[in-house]
Amino acid sequence: MTDNPRSIDEVPHSVTIAFIAESAGVSIPTVSKVLNGRSGVSDETRARVEELINQYGYRRPSGNRSSTVELVFREMADTWAVEVIRGVERVARKNRIGLFVSQFDSSIDDTIGRRPICVLFVSQISESERDRLKAKDIPFVVIDPIDELPDDIPFVGTTNWRGGHSATRHLLDLGHRRVAMINGPDHPFCQARMAGYFSALAEAGLTPDPELLIRTELTRDHGYTAALQLLSRADRPTAIFASDDMQAFGVYRAAGELGLSVPRDLSVVGFDDLVVSDWVDPPLTTVHQPLFEMAGAATELALTLGRGEPVSQIGLEIATTLTVRASTAPPKG
């Protein structure tokens, strides 16, 4: 018998694999291995899990899983959504499974009702959504999370601090000393990019000027408004690091309206490396965020979890790189 059997009040009406795992003090993949007769579980653990399965009358949910992976966006207005879809699609095709893309704005019931093999959330997942998916034994992974996640939540992100540092260091190496930053909202990834900016300044022996830092939304219009504020100063910056490419495009617009030329009068660096960054005039120097690779890695991770196989780590960050184009140059004079 188990050491601490649950009282009748503690047993849910519908016993789930998550409940069995918690009761046995093991992970959900371990219970999945026992249910599927896979190796990699000690005899003692297997016996404990099987006893709980019998004790609580656990039964697999009726109906088979669909042969699809579901990709959930909060909104699809972001132009980098195409890269995420491409990355997931590549892995899905390799595994001979389908891809269902949805925009999630209300209830998770529809997603659960489709019984996907796994679910990939872009940027965000709520606690209630996590609990619902766990209760239904549907694995999930968060791609490019914008919020702090509990330690046990699988995710694939990128090295935001390194990206902010390399962008700022590039401008400093060109000789710029008044380097402004247009940052985003108070999200962990924005904080990391800003920390990289501050670190590069400190390494160059520069004290950050609070007048050269503006926090605003990650849109072209907000980048434009912030850039007007920075570039209208008598001691305007000679370079601006924008925390995403859309903000950087707003900087281009503001500079043009003020009669400033990029990069002759103002150097600009963005973040993301959207496809259109190479199309604007001049082509934008930007931090390449490997969205395609991140989406593919997240899909591989989710499928592995779904098979109940061990993973070396459930949190993964893929390195950024700086893509230097024509929007940066040494300052005049």
Side-chain angles (χ1 to χ4, degrees):
M1 294 292 293
T2 56
D3 294 335
N4 296 296
R6 300 293 188 99
S7 70
I8 189 66
D9 292 336
E10 294 179 297
V11 179
H13 177 70
S14 178
V15 176
T16 66
I17 191 172
F19 177 81
I20 296 296
E22 180 185 357
S23 300
V26 299
S27 67
I28 291 175
T30 297
V31 177
S32 179
K33 287 181 181 179
V34 174
L35 288 167
N36 290 286
R38 295 195 183 100
S39 60
V41 181
S42 70
D43 292 341
E44 180 184 354
T45 298
R46 188 180 298 276
R48 185 165 75 252
V49 171
E50 288 176 343
E51 179 184 354
L52 288 166
I53 289 171
N54 293 328
Q55 178 180 344
Y56 295 123
Y58 172 76
R59 295 292 182 271
R60 281 187 172 279
S62 59
N64 295 324
R65 293 272 174 87
S66 69
S67 57
T68 61
V69 56
E70 183 149 349
L71 175 61
V72 181
F73 288 90
R74 294 294 168 180
E75 56 180 343
M76 296 183 66
D78 300 290
T79 57
W80 51 257
V82 174
E83 285 299 293
V84 173
I85 293 172
R86 286 183 58 243
V88 175
E89 185 180 41
R90 179 184 65 83
V91 175
R93 189 185 311 115
K94 184 182 72 173
N95 287 273
R96 299 181 181 275
I97 58 177
L99 169 61
F100 187 92
V101 180
S102 62
Q103 185 166 332
F104 194 72
D105 54 13
S106 54
S107 169
I108 198 171
D109 290 339
D110 290 343
T111 296
I112 291 175
R114 286 186 283 270
R115 298 292 296 166
I117 297 172
C118 57
V119 183
L120 301 165
F121 284 84
V122 178
S123 300
Q124 288 179 288
I125 182 173
S126 70
E127 182 178 359
S128 63
E129 291 158 7
R130 299 195 302 261
D131 291 343
R132 293 289 307 282
L133 289 168
K134 287 179 180 178
K136 295 298 183 179
D137 307 334
I138 301 176
F140 59 88
V141 175
V142 185
I143 303 172
D144 196 24
I146 65 172
D147 298 315
E148 291 287 352
L149 295 172
D151 291 341
D152 63 339
I153 301 303
F155 75 91
V156 176
T158 192
T159 53
N160 288 291
W161 183 93
R162 174 178 171 175
H165 183 272
S166 63
T168 310
R169 179 64 182 269
H170 170 66
L171 294 168
L172 294 169
D173 286 347
L174 288 171
H176 294 277
R177 288 299 176 264
R178 289 190 58 74
V179 179
M181 180 180 184
I182 302 175
N183 199 12
D186 191 24
H187 292 309
F189 75 94
C190 291
Q191 293 174 346
R193 293 175 190 181
M194 184 172 63
Y197 163 78
F198 285 146
S199 178
L201 291 178
E203 289 172 6
L206 298 175
T207 302
D209 182 348
E211 298 296 326
L212 296 183
L213 175 64
I214 295 179
R215 305 196 71 158
T216 187
E217 298 300 317
L218 299 169
T219 70
R220 180 174 180 268
D221 287 344
H222 285 88
Y224 163 75
T225 301
L228 282 180
Q229 180 179 335
L230 290 166
L231 297 175
S232 297
R233 297 171 54 92
D235 54 348
R236 64 175 176 82
T238 62
I240 295 178
F241 166 42
S243 57
D244 84 340
D245 288 348
M246 297 307 295
Q247 287 181 336
F249 301 151
V251 175
Y252 272 37
R253 177 186 167 197
E257 289 187 3
L258 295 173
L260 300 174
S261 173
V262 177
R264 187 186 67 226
D265 303 309
L266 177 72
S267 286
V268 182
V269 178
F271 202 115
D272 282 339
D273 198 15
L274 303 177
V275 173
V276 293
S277 298
D278 198 27
W279 303 347
V280 294
D281 184 22
L284 179 67
T285 294
T286 183
V287 177
H288 175 71
Q289 183 173 207
L291 295 168
F292 179 84
E293 294 83 358
M294 290 161 60
T299 310
E300 295 279 13
L301 175 58
L303 292 174
T304 301
L305 292 172
R307 293 190 294 265
E309 298 174 0
V311 294
S312 58
Q313 57 188 63
I314 63 170
L316 175 64
E317 287 190 336
I318 300 179
T320 57
T321 54
L322 184 68
T323 301
V324 178
R325 297 194 179 100
S327 66
T328 51
K332 289 195 306 183

